[in-house]
Amino acid sequence: MTTPTHMRRVRFGTAPRRGGALALLAGLTAVSGCSSAEPASPKPSTPASPSSSAPARVTPSPDSPEEAAKKQAVAAYESYWAELPKAYAVPAIEGTDLKRYTAAEALAKATAGVANLKTLGQVMTGAPVLADPTITAAELDKKTPNVTISACLDVLPWKVVKKSTGKPAPLPSGRVTKYVVTALVERWSDGWKVLKSTPHGDQPC
């Protein structure tokens, strides 16, 4: 196993050689037997102290502006999928942060979805599971930076129920419940927003 470089730098003092010390003590004892002078006491050897300088701590380099922007875009997209189920559970957009993370077509679809649930007397319980959101395209040098995100969405835990009874609404049999979703996300003056969210029911994941 290779010893890390920062461990190899720490050197401890060399302990005195036992053989040499014993020979020295034996010589001093022999001299004292022939001389009336007090033998000089050997000075104890003091091991050198380990180096007090600790290894330099490696500080992770900060993200580049491009990487930071991408992370912010993905975070906004994840927040969109966290807020949408809250709106559909009421159903109402008011009282959620959905408008903070959506605009344009995505906000219009969410508003229409809420209105449709109200008309049918339904709500949606639970929440979908978003997995592996990945940026597949990015135009960060534009006047309005934008990215395209692809992810896998599992809607099986997201149930449509009758609001008055709580009973599940009938759904088509054989429907795909786990599929690819894509989104266009733009950076506006007040943050990143999902402008368009598209399900791809023909692309299971």
Coordinates of all heavy atoms in Angstrom, one line a residue, residues 127-128 154-159 175 177-178:
A127 N -46.4 12.0 -4.3 CA -45.5 12.8 -5.2 C -44.7 11.9 -6.1 O -44.4 10.8 -5.8 CB -44.6 13.6 -4.3
P128 N -44.4 12.4 -7.3 CA -43.6 11.6 -8.2 C -42.1 11.6 -7.7 O -41.7 12.4 -6.9 CB -43.7 12.4 -9.6 CG -44.0 13.8 -9.1 CD -44.8 13.7 -7.9
D154 N -40.9 8.9 -12.1 CA -41.7 7.7 -11.7 C -43.0 8.3 -11.0 O -42.9 8.9 -10.0 CB -41.0 6.9 -10.6 CG -41.7 5.6 -10.2 OD1 -42.9 5.5 -10.7 OD2 -41.2 4.8 -9.4
V155 N -44.1 8.2 -11.7 CA -45.4 8.7 -11.2 C -46.2 7.7 -10.5 O -47.4 8.1 -10.1 CB -46.2 9.3 -12.4 CG1 -45.4 10.5 -13.1 CG2 -46.6 8.3 -13.4
L156 N -45.7 6.5 -10.3 CA -46.5 5.5 -9.6 C -47.0 5.9 -8.2 O -48.1 5.7 -7.9 CB -45.7 4.2 -9.6 CG -46.5 3.0 -9.1 CD1 -47.7 2.7 -10.0 CD2 -45.6 1.7 -9.0
P157 N -46.1 6.6 -7.5 CA -46.5 7.0 -6.1 C -47.5 8.2 -6.1 O -48.0 8.6 -5.1 CB -45.2 7.4 -5.4 CG -44.1 6.9 -6.3 CD -44.7 6.9 -7.7
W158 N -47.8 8.8 -7.3 CA -48.6 10.0 -7.4 C -50.0 9.5 -7.8 O -50.2 9.1 -9.0 CB -48.0 10.9 -8.5 CG -48.2 12.3 -8.3 CD1 -48.7 13.0 -7.2 CD2 -48.0 13.3 -9.3 NE1 -48.8 14.3 -7.5 CE2 -48.4 14.6 -8.8 CE3 -47.5 13.3 -10.6 CZ2 -48.2 15.8 -9.5 CZ3 -47.3 14.5 -11.3 CH2 -47.7 15.7 -10.7
K159 N -51.0 9.6 -6.9 CA -52.3 9.1 -7.2 C -53.3 10.2 -7.4 O -53.3 11.2 -6.7 CB -52.7 8.2 -6.0 CG -51.7 7.2 -5.5 CD -51.5 6.1 -6.5 CE -50.6 5.0 -6.0 NZ -50.3 3.9 -7.0
R175 N -50.8 1.7 -18.6 CA -50.1 3.0 -18.8 C -48.7 2.9 -18.3 O -48.3 2.2 -17.3 CB -50.9 4.1 -18.0 CG -50.8 4.0 -16.5 CD -51.8 5.0 -15.9 NE -51.7 4.9 -14.4 CZ -51.0 5.8 -13.7 NH1 -50.4 6.8 -14.2 NH2 -51.0 5.6 -12.4
T177 N -45.7 4.2 -16.2 CA -45.6 5.0 -15.0 C -44.2 5.5 -14.7 O -44.0 6.3 -13.7 CB -46.1 4.2 -13.8 OG1 -45.3 3.0 -13.7 CG2 -47.5 3.8 -14.0
K178 N -43.3 5.1 -15.5 CA -41.9 5.6 -15.3 C -41.3 5.9 -16.7 O -41.1 5.0 -17.5 CB -41.1 4.5 -14.6 CG -39.8 5.0 -14.0 CD -39.1 3.8 -13.2 CE -37.8 4.3 -12.6 NZ -37.2 3.2 -11.8

